[in-house]
Amino acid sequence: MDMLWSGWGDPAKAAPLPDSVIGLLRDLLGVTPRESGPAGLGDIAVPESELTGAAREALTAAVGDAAHVRTDAEARIRHTRGKSTPDLLRIRAGEVDDVPAAVVLPASHDEVLAVLRACAEHGLAVVPFGGGTSVVGGLAPEAKHGFVALDLRRLDALVALDEVSRTAVLQPGLRAPRAEALLNERGFTLGHFPQSYEWASIGGFAAARSSGQASAGYGRFDEMVLGLTVATPEGTLEAGRAPRSAAGPDLRQLVLGSEGALGVITSVTVRIRPLPQTRVYEGWRFESFEAGAAALRALAQDGPRPTVLRLSDESESFIGLAQPDRIGSADAPQSVGCIAIAGYEGTAEDTADRRARAREVLLAHGGEFVGEEPGERWAHGRYNAPYLRDALLDAGAFAETLETAAFWSALPGLYDAVRRALTAALTEAGTPPLVMCHISHVYENGASLYFTVVSAQGEDPVAHWAPVKRAANDAILAAGGTISHHHGVGTDHRDWFTREIGPVGVRVLQAVKAELDPSGILNPGVLIPVR
């Protein structure tokens, strides 16, 4: 099943906003309905494909069947851009000026190599396409002469599973739920459950350095990766043959987070864990975000560390995003402080022990136990937020997210700086916002901040958001944060990423790209500035 072309996920799971929420948006933020609805799929005028006859023949030869080189309008629309709010607003308005020339579906590593050779020969850029869930412009290259979307869905196998070493070899086109199901059948789990879980792919997780909601217990995806096979225009790159090595710099770390700019990931070897016997999620209330953050830091630094650990600020807790399926319901709390979610997965004995010891830490930091119901509600609705975003767009609101991370000492200043930047920029533009935030991932030395902003759309919502996004990005770097914790760089963050790593770092990446991709066909303009 394909994802909704003009929104998120499965249309059957979408639901309109309750009247109470629509009224709140109108009264609080001045949100008014749009004059017209989204364009229909069949109504969008798609430019003629730039694919030449010779290029089509070469691509067909590469994948062995003309059916796997698609130039029909629907396939090209479904592979246009990603799922950020500006992406969706543009596609809903029927804007497809950057539609791919073709969608190519290889079924093996060798076919990917052949496609890259054909594209280099015919001057076509290549954008690897997994689940299509990028929210940072990672699927919108700066291509001069057209590009192909390299859809990896046919590379969707569990290649091998080593129960002794607890590793699995997965192909990149495997969607996360299917990968998890295959591992579960053998008694294992990957333990990687980001908000994009239902639609994202294994290759996308690696290419964007994804971080799942259970990262406190299972780690980030890049920590799970033990080996990679990568197809480049210059040949095959193999990285990782042991869990750790002192044999020079770790090339796995060069590929992880490279967003298709250095090569196409065709195989990922990952660490796996036994399926947990028990899963328990619970809620805690803190008087302030500062108090809750101190409790999370204590658990992250000194333990015991829960498997899931997150904290919503006062605004997010009040609105209900700590439990997305509760928004607008009659029993939504009116005064909640800050809600933290702690989850424990593992053996029954280990789960009970960690939960009991963590309880003492949380109580010592002023936490109030509010039962399992908030935690179970969060677990039930953890993948609902993107559907809520679509419903907000339908109602005429603008809703977008951004995230960052910093060391614990810098986190309070970063939190304040980004909130101020978003509020000031949108208020100046005449659309005062609601800004919400939560700590989504914790580490011994720091944590991430995930912001959600809702406002009226303005006359041109894409143009309206652009200076606001710039202001937030500037604030992140000025306050000592990284430009992205888990969404990636894409084109949206590229200019701030180059400031973060500095001119020498940029030249290093450009030199690597020049070696692996001398024709510059791999996702040009994404991550690395075009020379």
Side-chain angles (χ1 to χ4, degrees):
M1 177 181 178
D2 287 324
M3 190 190 296
L4 178 64
W5 67 276
S6 59
W8 182 265
D10 180 357
K13 293 184 178 180
L17 293 175
D19 289 341
S20 59
V21 176
I22 292 177
L24 180 66
L25 291 169
R26 180 189 62 243
D27 298 339
L28 181 64
L29 302 177
V31 171
T32 56
R34 300 290 295 173
E35 294 181 0
S36 59
L41 181 60
D43 299 328
I44 296 179
V46 179
E48 185 176 348
S49 172
E50 300 170 272
L51 202 65
T52 65
R56 181 189 293 272
E57 289 181 7
L59 291 171
T60 298
V63 296
D65 190 330
H68 301 315
V69 180
R70 298 187 58 179
T71 55
D72 59 284
E74 180 174 342
R76 293 167 65 204
I77 290 171
R78 289 186 178 278
H79 291 76
T80 299
R81 298 187 291 273
K83 296 298 181 181
S84 70
T85 295
D87 286 343
L88 295 187
L89 288 168
R90 290 182 62 200
I91 201 77
R92 285 170 170 229
E95 296 180 21
V96 289
D97 52 304
D98 51 355
V99 64
V103 179
V104 182
L105 297 97
S108 70
H109 174 81
D110 288 342
E111 288 188 4
V112 173
L113 286 172
V115 169
L116 296 182
R117 288 194 293 267
C119 288
E121 180 182 351
H122 292 277
L124 289 166
V126 179
V127 178
F129 193 99
T133 61
S134 172
V135 292
V136 292
L139 303 176
E142 296 178 356
K144 297 179 181 178
H145 306 295
F147 71 96
V148 301
L150 189 69
D151 192 318
L152 299 167
R153 71 179 64 191
R154 296 175 67 212
L155 281 82
D156 62 352
L158 167 59
V159 178
L161 191 150
D162 181 343
E163 296 186 5
V164 175
S165 302
R166 290 186 177 173
T167 65
V169 181
L170 307 172
Q171 289 188 315
L174 264 177
R175 296 281 175 86
R178 178 59 179 159
E180 188 68 16
L182 291 170
L183 293 172
N184 290 176
E185 290 173 3
R186 302 282 293 274
F188 293 94
T189 180
L190 189 55
H192 190 68
F193 305 103
Q195 195 171 80
S196 61
Y197 168 79
E198 294 177 313
W199 296 94
S201 68
I202 295 298
F205 289 156
R209 284 191 184 271
S210 175
S211 191
Q213 294 170 342
S215 65
Y218 291 101
R220 293 166 52 95
F221 194 78
D222 52 349
E223 295 172 316
M224 301 176 186
V225 174
L226 302 174
L228 293 159
T229 301
V230 185
T232 81
E234 293 296 287
T236 299
L237 172 66
E238 298 276 2
R241 60 185 302 161
R244 294 290 186 271
S245 172
D250 189 347
L251 294 180
R252 290 173 296 192
Q253 298 304 318
L254 188 62
V255 176
L256 292 166
S258 60
E259 301 184 28
L262 302 180
V264 180
I265 297 168
T266 59
S267 176
V268 184
T269 301
V270 292
R271 176 197 72 203
I272 55 177
R273 299 275 175 81
L275 267 173
Q277 298 173 356
T278 304
R279 290 186 174 97
V280 182
Y281 307 101
E282 61 188 30
W284 289 79
R285 179 185 178 278
F286 290 89
E287 287 293 334
S288 68
F289 195 54
E290 180 182 11
L296 266 61
R297 179 169 66 87
L299 290 173
Q301 291 183 333
D302 302 320
R305 187 177 294 190
T307 309
V308 173
L309 191 58
R310 53 197 293 121
L311 172 72
S312 293
D313 71 0
E314 291 90 341
S315 297
E316 187 171 285
S317 298
F318 175 74
I319 293 298
L321 277 185
Q323 303 164 61
D325 62 343
R326 197 170 185 169
I327 293 174
S329 66
D331 64 339
Q334 297 304 303
S335 180
V336 294
C338 293
I339 296 297
I341 302 296
Y344 305 88
E345 301 181 8
T347 64
E349 180 180 4
D350 173 66
T351 295
D353 177 65
R354 279 190 296 137
R355 188 182 184 193
R357 290 188 292 125
R359 178 187 181 91
E360 296 303 315
V361 176
L362 293 166
L363 287 171
H365 282 80
E368 175 191 353
F369 180 64
V370 290
E372 293 183 12
E373 189 265 351
E376 294 300 330
R377 270 188 176 272
W378 169 82
H380 176 73
R382 67 164 89 180
Y383 306 127
N384 289 353
Y387 292 103
L388 174 63
R389 187 265 307 265
D390 288 0
L392 287 164
L393 295 181
D394 291 340
F398 184 94
E400 184 60 299
T401 62
L402 56 99
E403 43 76 43
T404 179
F407 296 114
W408 284 112
S409 59
L411 213 64
L414 178 62
Y415 172 71
D416 290 338
V418 177
R419 290 174 71 238
R420 286 199 305 269
L422 289 167
T423 301
L426 281 164
T427 301
E428 183 178 347
T431 55
L434 172 65
V435 179
M436 299 165 280
C437 182
H438 64 261
I439 294 175
S440 56
H441 305 273
V442 298
Y443 308 94
E444 181 179 355
N445 308 110
S448 69
L449 294 174
Y450 191 101
F451 293 87
T452 300
V453 56
V454 181
S455 72
Q457 289 188 4
E459 289 297 320
D460 182 344
V462 175
H464 191 71
W465 174 247
V468 180
K469 175 70 170 174
R470 289 196 296 271
N473 289 352
D474 287 342
I476 285 171
L477 291 192
T482 178
I483 197 59
S484 177
H485 172 264
H486 59 269
H487 281 172
V489 174
T491 53
D492 293 358
H493 293 154
R494 181 195 60 214
D495 294 344
W496 289 267
F497 170 63
T498 61
R499 286 164 56 184
E500 183 172 326
I501 65 173
V504 174
V506 171
R507 292 199 299 273
V508 168
L509 290 179
Q510 288 176 329
V512 173
K513 184 172 177 64
E515 184 65 31
L516 297 175
D517 178 26
S519 299
I521 64 168
L522 291 171
N523 229 357
V526 169
L527 184 70
I528 303 170
V530 176
R531 278 179 159 171

